[in-house]
Amino acid sequence: MADIQLIKNLCEAFGPTGLEDEVTSIIFKNIQSITDASGYTPLGGVWGLIKGTGEEPTKLIGCGIDEVSFMVGDIDDNGFVRPKKLTKYNSGTVCAKKVTVGNESIKLDGIMSAKVLHLASGNERENPNVEKCFVDLGFSKKEDLEEKIQKGDFITFNEQVSKFGKNKLYGKCLSNRVGAALMIEYARYLKDKGITPKSDIILFFGVKEKVGMSDLFYAVQHFAPKSAMILSALPACNCEKESNCKLGNGIALPTHDGYSLYFGNDIYTSILKSDIKYQVPKNTEEHQSSAKAQYAGVGCEMFKVSLPVRNIYSSGEIISLSDVEEMEKVIKFFG
């Protein structure tokens, strides 16, 4: 069963694209004692090595850890922060959300706001673009806020992770940091059980994925794995007849995306024949920079395992713990 407290700690940490230090620190502290070697990449990602018997070639399990992020574009005379888009986000879920605005040394709580609906007209009544919003941090003067926050600082959602219903989790960053938590748990499982895998296993926690600058390129070139499994996420909905994938139906196995063909390789085929509960999404997965890493160095065989997520790229992502259990199974199956 997934470690809910670990998921909660990772998801609630402040880790915008470009400033993931708080998250990588949690990860590094967890894996340092349960892997044979660990370290940071030049871009700030974290890796851990689990030594195997050498009977099979090196394998890599990876995920991105940065989150939906915005940037401080300006501070107006009323002390409001004017945000700019940094990563993709769900525009229908931005307004009236709690956010954190900060940098390496300071973090402030605020509320993302926009013109009230009954005063809006025309295009303003559509889902607000983040550039039309403002963040209220409780300051009334520009000068007072500029002592703490500057242009170029980061903005993320501020939402706690909570369990609800029989087996669901709600919160921010579940779409990627659940994968990170499962990778840590996998290393702990091998350590506690005294299991030595047949391959050297590289656990890789990448940064800057959401802006197309994943440092998975470094991991593939540096460690030269024969094969790599990337943990990702896909939008899910149970209320639409033609839904791409659904919560509770198992992991999603995308067949391909703009950079790679996953269907047909040996690992993908083996999973289809196993007892792991899976679904094949109707649509292809979005382009992700991590997929291009298979061409780094001498190249490696790569495939993706995606967690179905409702309200993806928002402050209120929802996942099913039964799907998390299937992702946990596939990590053990691969490793």
Side-chain angles (χ1 to χ4, degrees):
M1 178 59 70
D3 185 340
I4 304 300
Q5 188 58 52
L6 177 58
I7 292 173
K8 183 177 176 69
N9 292 345
L10 288 169
C11 289
E12 293 178 5
F14 182 72
T17 297
L19 187 61
E20 300 93 341
D21 301 23
E22 191 172 313
V23 184
T24 56
S25 177
I26 295 172
I27 292 170
F28 189 76
K29 287 176 182 177
N30 273 276
I31 68 168
Q32 195 173 19
S33 61
I34 56 177
T35 55
D36 296 295
S38 56
Y40 289 87
T41 73
L43 285 177
V46 178
W47 60 268
L49 168 65
I50 301 170
K51 289 291 291 182
T53 62
E55 297 173 60
E56 295 181 1
T58 300
K59 296 177 180 178
L60 182 145
I61 306 173
C63 71
I65 61 167
D66 52 326
E67 62 184 284
V68 171
S69 313
F70 311 99
M71 188 171 279
V72 175
D74 200 2
I75 301 173
D76 68 22
D77 292 337
N78 296 314
F80 294 137
V81 166
R82 298 293 176 172
K84 292 173 62 177
K85 174 185 174 182
L86 183 57
T87 70
K88 54 189 172 185
Y89 64 96
N90 187 333
S91 63
T93 61
V94 171
C95 191
K97 299 300 181 183
K98 293 187 293 184
V99 295
T100 298
V101 181
N103 48 50
E104 295 90 341
S105 58
I106 190 167
K107 297 172 185 66
L108 302 176
D109 292 336
I111 302 293
M112 187 79 77
S113 304
K115 183 183 288 189
V116 68
L117 185 62
H118 71 270
L119 295 179
S121 61
N123 293 335
E124 292 178 330
R125 283 183 169 267
E126 298 177 1
N127 291 333
N129 184 298
V130 72
E131 278 83 3
K132 296 179 181 178
C133 295
F134 60 92
V135 179
D136 187 347
L137 293 168
F139 291 78
S140 57
K141 292 182 180 180
K142 178 178 183 178
E143 303 79 44
D144 294 340
L145 185 53
E146 285 182 327
E147 293 178 1
K148 302 176 182 296
I149 298 297
Q150 303 294 326
K151 293 180 182 180
D153 284 345
F154 298 97
I155 306 169
T156 65
F157 291 123
N158 179 355
E159 188 65 64
Q160 293 184 334
V161 170
S162 58
K163 188 176 179 181
F164 71 102
K166 289 185 178 180
N167 70 337
K168 288 188 172 65
L169 282 185
Y170 164 90
K172 74 178 181 76
C173 306
L174 292 167
S175 53
N176 53 4
R177 293 185 193 157
V178 166
L182 293 181
M183 288 161 58
I184 294 169
E185 289 182 55
Y186 172 63
R188 187 174 292 122
Y189 163 79
L190 295 179
K191 183 79 170 180
D192 291 345
K193 297 292 185 181
I195 298 173
T196 303
K198 293 182 179 180
S199 305
D200 285 354
I201 305 292
I202 305 297
L203 302 179
F204 187 75
F205 307 84
V207 296
K208 301 176 178 65
E209 161 62 27
K210 283 184 167 50
V211 288
M213 297 170 60
S214 171
D215 56 351
L216 184 62
F217 284 85
Y218 167 87
V220 171
Q221 186 155 357
H222 184 76
F223 296 108
K226 179 69 165 46
S227 56
M229 178 173 69
I230 307 304
L231 307 181
S232 62
L234 276 176
C237 184
N238 291 62
C239 56
E240 295 178 8
K241 191 173 183 180
E242 295 298 323
S243 182
N244 196 33
C245 58
K246 296 183 178 182
L247 295 186
N249 282 17
I251 58 170
L253 295 177
T255 55
H256 64 287
D257 65 17
Y259 296 125
S260 185
L261 177 66
Y262 307 120
F263 182 80
N265 68 47
D266 293 339
I267 306 165
Y268 193 104
T269 303
S270 297
I271 293 174
L272 297 182
K273 294 178 180 179
S274 73
D275 63 351
I276 295 169
K277 189 176 180 181
Y278 70 90
Q279 50 190 314
V280 178
K282 296 179 176 65
N283 300 324
T284 60
E285 190 168 9
E286 295 180 3
H287 293 32
Q288 292 193 342
S289 61
S290 58
K292 293 188 292 185
Q294 67 181 318
Y295 306 115
V298 296
C300 73
E301 183 180 49
M302 182 178 289
F303 77 108
K304 285 191 178 181
V305 175
S306 298
L307 185 68
V309 179
R310 190 176 298 153
N311 305 330
I312 197 167
Y313 309 134
S314 76
S315 66
E317 295 183 335
I318 298 174
I319 62 172
S320 169
L321 287 173
S322 65
D323 295 335
V324 174
E325 289 176 7
E326 297 306 312
M327 182 170 272
E328 190 173 24
K329 286 182 188 177
V330 81
I331 291 173
K332 292 178 180 178
F333 182 88
F334 176 71

